[in-house]
Amino acid sequence: MTYSSLLAVIQTPHIDYTAILPELICIGGALALLLTGALAVRQLPTVVYTAMTVAISVAAVVSSLVLWHIVQLHGAFAAIAKSLAIDGFSVAFVLLASCVLVVAALAADGFLRREEVAGPEYYALALLSASGAMFMASANDLIVIFLGLEIMSIPLYILAGFDHRRQESGEASMKYFVLGAFSSAIFVYGIALTYGATGSTNLAEIASFLANNVLTSNALLLAGLGLLLVGFGFKIAAVPFHMWTPDVYEGAPTPATGFMAAIAKVGGFAALLRVFYSSFHTLAIDWQPVLFVMAILTLLTGAILGLVQRDIKRMLAYSSINHAGFVLLGLQAATASGVSASLYYVFVYAFLVLGSFTVIELVGKRGDRAHPIEGYRGLARREPFLALCLALLLLAQAGAPFTTGFLAKLYVVEAAVQAHSYALAVTAMLAGAIAADFELRVVFLMYGASAPAPAEATDAAPAFSIEGSLAVPDPVSSAPAPGASTGTLASAAVMTGHDLATVTVAGAAASERVEVPLLARAALVLTCGFTVVLGIWPAPLFAFVHAARLLF
Amino acid sequence: MTVSAAWYLTLAAAMFSIGAIGLLVRRNVLVMFMCVELMLNAANLTFVTFARELNDVGGQAVVFFVLVVAAAEVVVGLGIIVAIYRRRLGATADDIHVLKG
């Protein structure tokens, strides 16, 4: 059979390239980055790759805004053999994923140079991962959701292990990979059972099948739905599928943690909301109780286990579990306003978590290890800018008024009350209060009195005693001891006394100060600005979220 | 003699369960990968069975996507194992325990 006669037999779908323009820009950009890295004669400075990534993600932002405009003017449409749904809801999430990329690229630049893992790979992986989240958001077919899920997750596994010098990083990558692969296998099996029960993997066809047929025995369908929920639960870190979260958040390089926390929630919740709300809405009476229990467990587990953490990355991991519970509140309501509230929450949370992890990345210092919460004591005096940003972002996460976090919590709880899930609303407020306790504790530590931790003081005692014996002015002895200065001292032990003193003081002073690169500062200004400006003046974001309606 | 679809579905369910239990019980990371493959192939078998039952080619096309994804996943997984191996010897999950929890 010749090629032309084959073409006559096989009907290829019309491909609407504008519908997938943001995804194409991200994937093309990732390839361009890798190609630039491979073809460059000399190793290019990291800032070149950062600039390219920011340009690519800004292009994705612009193209999703164009798509938003098209959808608002001409209405929602299904594209590429009805496998993609281009509606306000999907474009809103695509826009969010592109914004997350911009901030993540700005935040990662300084880290990559500091840890000497520079190169285009980090950015290429981030772009690919974001394109997966965009596909998940605009998918109108369970198979496209699965492909998007994998395109999003596989780069995230690598990003978690990106810092190849740290053993924890490889371990985090391994754990994330094994549990991620497990969850996607469960997800595929869920799709297979749903396909068997409804005869299609297309979300719209599933919805119309369920609307037009009364199932005498829907055990197969419910099993499929349950497995789908398990698969999503792993991705969004909902209890009882959250076990990987603290370990992976702690072990992964800090900017990768922030990106992962934001993008996995964006993709996961976009697909979860669409599948459950638009396709399986007729089965709401079956899945609402399950989500009710899941939301309560997620809220309380995140809040209570967050209280006992000593590592700030683990603490934020539990806080992110708690936030996932809040987003589930909006879905559990199974109303249009509930879905809008969830969308609003994810929108707000993505920026909060990105900003928080950017501060932690900078405070973590070279080696990416200084993450005990105790190390944040008195940060406001040493690093007023970073402390202010982190305080703002944590206050927003705790739901303080005049921040986006407050309105986000308000809307999801309101949706739960409207759906008469009073117990859930009360639990959410209780869990929110518990979570606020550990989030605000860090704020108090930062702005409280500065006192060196005893363990660190004894650790550094030799360094300072040598300094003292050389009668060098000792301006830093009251500061928490930097581990790096001891290392510098050991390597400098063969130098003359004068040199030794200079090196020690210089080393101590250098490691005491936290280097804040310009681009990371820009990322922090963006996230904090978003949080405060739209917290005080919420109308634009609220209007945006309300315009982001689902197609079906 | 024909074999009814129910048998295929039962076989797939059994394969899926063996894979899931194996992943949770076994401690060698390579064996855990094999268990994931078993689970994915169980899903593939289910797809093909339902596609034949429903007389719909869509379910058979899905299998190709799943196969490609499984291959990509294994590539990354083995890459991660090699990266960990280079630092230490052994591929036993219990030895990977720097992170608590």
Side-chain angles (χ1 to χ4, degrees):
Chain A
M1 201 184 270
T2 59
Y3 179 67
S4 53
S5 60
L6 247 181
L7 267 190
V9 178
I10 302 170
Q11 290 158 356
T12 51
H14 168 68
I15 296 184
D16 183 357
Y17 287 102
T18 40
I20 51 169
L21 198 56
E23 287 93 334
L24 286 180
I25 289 174
C26 286
I27 295 173
L31 296 180
L33 270 173
L34 289 176
L35 205 61
T36 316
L39 292 182
V41 183
R42 283 174 292 115
Q43 191 162 20
L44 295 172
T46 311
V47 74
V48 174
Y49 299 123
T50 314
M52 279 177 77
T53 314
V54 171
I56 294 161
S57 16
V58 168
V61 171
V62 171
S63 64
S64 43
L65 284 175
V66 170
L67 212 51
W68 174 261
H69 198 64
I70 292 174
V71 168
Q72 295 305 316
L73 277 184
H74 305 293
F77 59 98
I80 313 183
K82 297 201 169 107
S83 65
L84 295 179
I86 308 301
D87 51 17
F89 183 79
S90 71
V91 180
F93 272 111
V94 169
L95 180 64
L96 175 59
S98 344
C99 295
V100 164
L101 259 181
V102 176
V103 179
L106 291 174
D109 174 69
F111 179 87
L112 296 180
R113 274 184 284 134
R114 192 182 75 194
E115 305 295 327
E116 291 162 17
V117 284
E121 293 86 2
Y122 182 94
Y123 295 123
L125 290 168
L127 283 165
L128 287 175
S129 178
S131 79
M134 292 172 187
F135 274 124
M136 281 181 90
S138 38
N140 193 28
D141 194 295
L142 286 172
I143 292 307
V144 180
I145 292 182
F146 171 65
L147 290 178
L149 187 80
E150 289 298 315
I151 298 173
M152 180 185 81
S153 305
I154 291 177
L156 285 182
Y157 304 148
I158 310 174
L159 283 179
F162 202 78
D163 196 351
H164 53 83
R165 287 190 198 83
R166 275 170 68 241
Q167 201 177 333
E168 297 92 327
S169 187
E171 195 177 314
S173 172
M174 188 76 233
K175 282 187 175 163
Y176 196 21
F177 175 80
V178 170
L179 287 171
F182 184 50
S183 73
S184 35
I186 293 174
F187 190 77
V188 179
Y189 198 57
I191 298 176
L193 295 187
T194 314
Y195 171 69
T198 61
S200 174
T201 53
N202 189 291
L203 294 183
E205 282 175 29
I206 292 174
S208 65
F209 175 86
L210 292 177
N212 299 329
N213 292 279
V214 178
L215 296 176
T216 47
S217 153
N218 57 1
L220 195 60
L221 182 60
L222 288 183
L225 198 58
L227 292 174
L228 287 181
L229 188 60
V230 173
F232 280 126
F234 266 105
K235 287 296 157 205
I236 60 170
V239 178
F241 314 110
H242 68 290
M243 304 82 70
W244 57 274
T245 318
D247 284 354
V248 173
Y249 276 36
E250 185 190 351
T254 314
T257 310
F259 178 70
M260 177 203 302
I263 208 79
K265 288 251 192 314
V266 171
F269 274 115
L272 177 65
L273 289 169
R274 185 185 289 281
V275 169
F276 277 75
Y277 181 69
S278 76
S279 270
F280 293 106
H281 197 260
T282 41
L283 293 179
I285 203 154
D286 290 313
W287 55 255
Q288 265 181 320
V290 179
L291 276 176
F292 186 91
V293 175
M294 205 163 154
I296 284 187
L297 285 177
T298 308
L299 283 164
L300 289 179
T301 307
I304 292 169
L305 290 182
L307 281 173
V308 294
Q309 300 305 317
R310 291 165 185 276
D311 182 294
I312 191 153
K313 284 168 87 177
R314 288 185 87 86
M315 189 203 88
L316 279 184
Y318 282 106
S319 147
S320 100
I321 295 172
N322 177 257
H323 286 295
F326 272 102
V327 186
L328 285 178
L329 229 65
L331 176 60
Q332 200 275 338
T335 55
S337 63
V339 171
S340 300
S342 291
L343 171 61
Y344 188 91
Y345 204 108
V346 175
F347 224 98
V348 163
Y349 177 68
F351 287 97
L352 291 182
V353 76
L354 269 174
S356 310
F357 275 106
T358 306
V359 176
I360 293 169
E361 162 207 330
L362 297 172
V363 177
K365 296 196 188 128
R366 199 177 149 72
D368 199 16
R369 282 180 200 281
H371 299 306
I373 294 178
E374 198 53 41
Y376 282 75
R377 190 182 287 280
L379 187 75
R381 209 152 306 152
R382 283 172 285 145
E383 296 295 336
F385 175 70
L386 290 185
L388 179 68
C389 289
L390 188 58
L392 247 171
L393 294 166
L394 286 176
L395 279 170
Q397 289 201 36
F402 301 113
T403 61
T404 46
F406 169 71
L407 295 167
K409 283 196 165 60
L410 181 70
Y411 292 142
V412 285
V413 171
E414 193 187 357
V417 170
Q418 278 171 1
H420 306 292
S421 309
Y422 300 115
L424 197 53
V426 170
T427 315
M429 284 190 276
L430 189 71
I434 300 173
D437 177 72
F438 63 75
E439 279 152 358
L440 296 184
R441 200 188 295 160
V442 177
V443 177
F444 288 134
L445 259 185
M446 290 193 299
Y447 283 90
S450 165
E456 285 175 322
T458 50
D459 190 34
F464 291 122
S465 68
I466 294 171
E467 269 183 10
S469 69
L470 288 166
V472 172
D474 187 6
V476 288
S477 58
S478 66
S485 81
T486 328
T488 325
L489 189 66
S491 65
V494 288
M495 296 184 186
T496 62
H498 178 74
D499 282 347
L500 177 64
T502 329
V503 166
T504 312
V505 173
S511 56
E512 189 212 357
R513 291 292 302 174
V514 174
E515 192 196 341
V516 186
L518 192 65
L519 292 179
R521 200 176 282 264
L524 284 175
V525 169
L526 276 177
T527 48
C528 294
F530 177 88
T531 305
V532 174
V533 171
L534 289 172
I536 294 172
W537 187 44
L541 188 59
F542 202 48
F544 175 76
V545 165
H546 266 256
R549 270 189 299 270
L550 279 158
L551 173 55
F552 303 108
Chain B
M1 186 184 120
T2 53
V3 183
S4 76
W7 285 104
Y8 287 103
L9 294 178
T10 314
L11 174 64
M15 268 167 72
F16 186 82
S17 316
I18 292 170
I21 294 168
L23 190 111
L24 297 173
V25 170
R26 293 301 290 267
R27 282 286 152 255
N28 187 302
V29 180
L30 289 171
V31 177
M32 288 160 94
F33 282 10
M34 281 147 67
C35 291
V36 170
E37 292 298 305
L38 205 58
M39 291 167 76
L40 286 172
N41 281 321
N44 281 343
L45 184 57
T46 314
F47 267 119
V48 173
T49 311
F50 280 132
R52 200 173 156 74
E53 284 290 295
L54 298 162
N55 209 5
D56 170 40
V57 77
Q60 308 212 13
V62 167
V63 172
F64 287 104
F65 288 106
V66 177
L67 284 178
V68 169
V69 164
E73 230 170 30
V74 162
V75 167
V76 171
L78 290 179
I80 294 170
I81 291 193
V82 169
I84 295 181
Y85 255 114
R86 283 193 347 194
R87 298 183 53 90
R88 44 137 101 255
L89 282 175
T92 307
D94 283 343
D95 293 342
I96 306 173
H97 54 55
V98 178
L99 299 173
K100 58 192 176 213

